[in-house]
């Protein structure tokens, strides 16, 4: 059963809520109106606006504090949650109605397969995670899981089971994938030997073989706290690798994926106090006033990922998206003038506003962030990812999914066409 393609709603709920976080947000709830005004219907099933408001309050109350909307963002957040709730009601119940019409019932085996797939995707146990939620929230997430199981069963029966496979293509693709894995492993080992012999640098490797490098870039600054969140085997390799050295090639296998990796520890970074952060950012401001490149200094010094990724550029943002001190500076500074150090809960910022649209209430800015930090290490993790095992059945399933895609779209369209749906709250959801 292809439950892997049908767990998006459940995964979204649990990752958004951050199961098990004791630090949850407790805003002032919206008082339900106690009316029977309809938000949406699916055949004879009804969702009222009062029920939507109750669920929005529940969702927001379960958010970890770090994910909670600010007071300025609250109205937009409630609207977003409301629309998502209505959309989930429509999608889930179209699936249930169709499954009932086709006589599909969830078995214990189907449910257990969904639990296994959830753990493979998240590393967490579904029952354990949902047990941490309030009973009402737990019921919502469990209902979403049931809908995903039913959808998987419907798709299996009506799409995949009736999609033929070209066995010659399966064999050809299987041999090709095996060869690609062999070549990637050989290249990976060759680059490792060059780094070990110091005939190539990590920076040169990033130009020649970017596929072996993590998306967040090289020379990551990993603090003590961040180290604790790394997979145990990677953490152990980093801790055992002397500064200036490269570890041996290691392997980390989990579920259906295998990672070959090695670690280069560039330097050990001492902790930085608040006073040291302020002193350093004042020195950077002096360099900028003397003509230094903002982008270069951001890449070399900023604690924000935007520094390494984009020279400090944060892109466009609107009021309410940034903390107040940062927002005040971003919407008052003259364009392309570098601010004095601005203090926020994150640390000290130098801000340069590059564009602003007063009519839309948006701005674009770059910044350099320096923050008090604990001791850290500058580390490069070079890796290659491939399936832990490749079977001809895996290839067959992949090609079948590819060939079934047009049928899948047509079948999903038929589910909607054969179900009566109304949505007074968000008419655009019906048009999608």
């Amino acid at each position: 059963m292809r439950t892997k393609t049908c767990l998006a709603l459940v995964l979204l709920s649990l990752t958004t809520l951050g199961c098990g976080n004791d630090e949850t947000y407790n805003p002032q709830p919206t008082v339900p109106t106690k009316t029977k005004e309809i938000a949406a219907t699916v055949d004879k099933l009804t969702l009222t606006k009062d029920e939507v408001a109750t669920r929005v309050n529940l969702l927001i109350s379960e958010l970890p504090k770090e994910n909670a909307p600010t007071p300025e963002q609250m109205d937009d957040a409630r609207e977003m949650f409301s629309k998502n709730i209505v959309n989930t009601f429509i999608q889930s119940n179209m699936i249930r109605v169709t499954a009932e019409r086709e006589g599909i019932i969830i078995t214990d085996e189907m449910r257990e397969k969904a639990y296994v797939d959830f753990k493979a995707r998240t590393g967490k146990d579904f029952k354990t995670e949902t047990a941490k939620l309030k009973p009402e929230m737990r019921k919502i997430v469990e209902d979403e899981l049931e809908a995903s199981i039913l959808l998987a069963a419907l798709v299996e029966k009506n799409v995949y089971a009736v999609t033929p496979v070209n066995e010659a293509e399966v064999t050809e693709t299987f041999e090709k994938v095996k060869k690609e894995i062999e070549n990637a492993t050989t290249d990976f080992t060759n680059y490792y030997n060059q780094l070990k012999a110091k005939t190539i640098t990590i920076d040169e490797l990033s130009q020649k073989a970017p596929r072996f490098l993590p998306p967040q870039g090289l020379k990551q600054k990993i603090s003590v706290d961040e180290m604790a969140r790394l997979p145990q085997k990677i953490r152990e390799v980093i801790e055992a690798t002397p500064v200036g050295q490269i570890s041996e090639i290691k392997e980390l296998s989990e579920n259906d994926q295998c990672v070959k990796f090695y670690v280069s520890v560039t330097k050990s970074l001492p902790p930085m106090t608040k006073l040291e952060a302020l002193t350093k950012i004042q020195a950077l401001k002096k360099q900028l006033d003397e003509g230094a490149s903002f982008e270069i200094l951001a890449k070399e010094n900023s604690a924000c990922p935007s520094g390494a990724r984009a020279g400090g550029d944060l892109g466009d943002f609107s009021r309410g998206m940034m903390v107040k001190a940062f927002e005040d500076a971003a919407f008052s500074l003259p364009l392309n003038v570098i601010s004095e150090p601005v203090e926020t809960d994150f640390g000290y910022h130098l801000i340069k506003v590059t564009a602003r649209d007063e009519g839309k209430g948006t701005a674009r800015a770059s910044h350099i962030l320096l923050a008090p930090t604990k001791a850290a290490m500058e580390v490069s993790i070079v890796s290659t990812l491939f399936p832990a095992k490749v079977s001809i059945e895996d290839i067959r399933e992949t090609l079948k999914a590819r060939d079934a895609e047009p049928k899948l779209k047509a079948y999903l369209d038929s589910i909607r066409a054969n179900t009566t749906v109304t949505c007074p709250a968000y008419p655009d959801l019906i048009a999608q």
Side-chain angles (χ1 to χ4, degrees), residues 53-290:
T54 299
R55 292 186 190 182
V56 168
N57 289 335
L58 180 61
L59 280 167
I60 292 178
S61 72
E62 289 278 4
L63 286 174
K65 284 185 177 179
E66 62 269 20
N67 291 346
T70 65
E72 294 84 359
Q73 296 169 332
M74 185 59 70
D75 287 344
D76 288 342
R78 289 190 182 279
E79 179 67 9
M80 179 190 72
F81 279 127
S82 295
K83 191 167 187 177
N84 286 343
I85 287 166
V86 173
N87 190 48
T88 299
F89 169 84
I90 293 172
Q91 302 293 335
S92 298
N93 284 297
M94 284 197 302
I95 293 165
R96 288 191 177 88
V97 167
T98 305
E100 183 177 355
R101 190 161 53 230
E102 297 195 20
I104 292 178
I105 300 173
I106 296 176
T107 64
D108 290 342
E109 182 183 6
M110 292 160 68
R111 201 181 299 275
E112 285 303 317
K113 284 183 178 179
Y115 293 154
V116 169
D117 185 64
F118 180 86
K119 188 163 189 177
R121 285 173 173 265
T122 67
K124 298 178 181 180
D125 180 77
F126 182 84
K127 293 180 181 178
T128 301
E129 293 304 307
T130 54
K132 300 171 186 177
L133 299 172
K134 295 175 183 176
E136 301 92 338
M137 191 66 239
R138 188 183 315 133
K139 177 68 164 59
I140 292 172
V141 174
E142 287 171 347
D143 285 349
E144 290 178 0
L145 179 69
E146 288 194 355
S148 74
I149 295 171
L150 290 171
L151 179 59
L154 288 167
V155 169
E156 183 71 29
K157 173 186 174 183
N158 294 283
V159 179
Y160 292 116
V162 296
T163 300
V165 176
N166 183 328
E167 289 299 332
E169 185 184 13
V170 170
T171 302
E172 180 183 349
T173 304
F174 176 60
E175 294 302 324
K176 181 179 178 182
V177 168
K178 283 201 305 182
K179 188 65 177 176
E180 287 175 350
I181 291 174
E182 291 172 6
N183 290 342
T185 302
T186 299
D187 287 348
F188 181 77
T189 304
N190 287 340
Y191 282 122
Y192 170 78
N193 289 333
Q194 291 178 52
L195 283 167
K196 198 79 171 174
K198 298 185 177 179
T199 58
I200 188 176
T201 67
I202 285 283
D203 289 334
E204 289 170 339
L205 175 61
S206 69
Q207 301 299 318
K208 291 188 175 184
R211 69 183 184 280
F212 292 143
L213 307 176
Q216 62 268 40
L218 287 173
K219 298 181 181 176
Q220 306 162 60
K221 296 176 183 178
I222 302 179
S223 69
V224 174
D225 292 341
E226 291 166 337
M227 188 85 75
R229 294 193 289 270
L230 291 173
Q232 181 178 351
K233 189 160 187 177
I234 292 179
R235 183 173 70 248
E236 289 173 350
V237 173
I238 292 174
E239 291 172 343
T241 303
V243 174
Q245 299 296 314
I246 299 174
S247 74
E248 298 301 316
I249 294 177
K250 303 291 182 179
E251 192 169 288
L252 177 64
S253 296
E254 187 172 337
N255 303 319
D256 295 330
Q257 299 294 315
C258 179
V259 179
K260 282 185 180 292
F261 72 95
Y262 52 87
V263 168
S264 170
V265 179
T266 310
K267 64 176 73 170
S268 178
L269 303 169
M272 181 183 294
T273 66
K274 185 175 180 180
L275 178 59
E276 287 170 337
L278 176 59
T279 301
K280 184 173 180 179
I281 206 161
Q282 288 171 334
L284 293 177
K285 175 62 164 67
K286 186 172 185 295
Q287 291 181 51
L288 291 167
D289 289 343
E290 293 171 352

Side-chain angles (χ1 to χ4, degrees), residues 385-429:
L385 172 69
F386 51 89
K389 55 182 180 180
V390 181
S391 69
I392 200 161
E393 183 57 33
D394 292 333
I395 300 299
R396 183 178 290 109
E397 290 294 305
T398 299
L399 294 179
K400 178 176 278 195
R402 180 202 66 190
D403 293 341
E405 189 171 344
K407 295 179 183 177
L408 176 61
K409 183 180 185 308
Y411 177 67
L412 295 178
D413 288 343
S414 75
I415 289 179
R416 170 156 299 199
N418 293 319
T419 310
T420 303
V421 178
T422 68
C423 187
Y426 299 102
D428 60 303
L429 291 178

Side-chain angles (χ1 to χ4, degrees), residues 35-46:
T35 70
K36 296 296 183 181
E37 191 174 354
I38 301 299
T41 66
V42 177
D43 281 6
K44 296 180 180 180
L45 301 172
T46 299

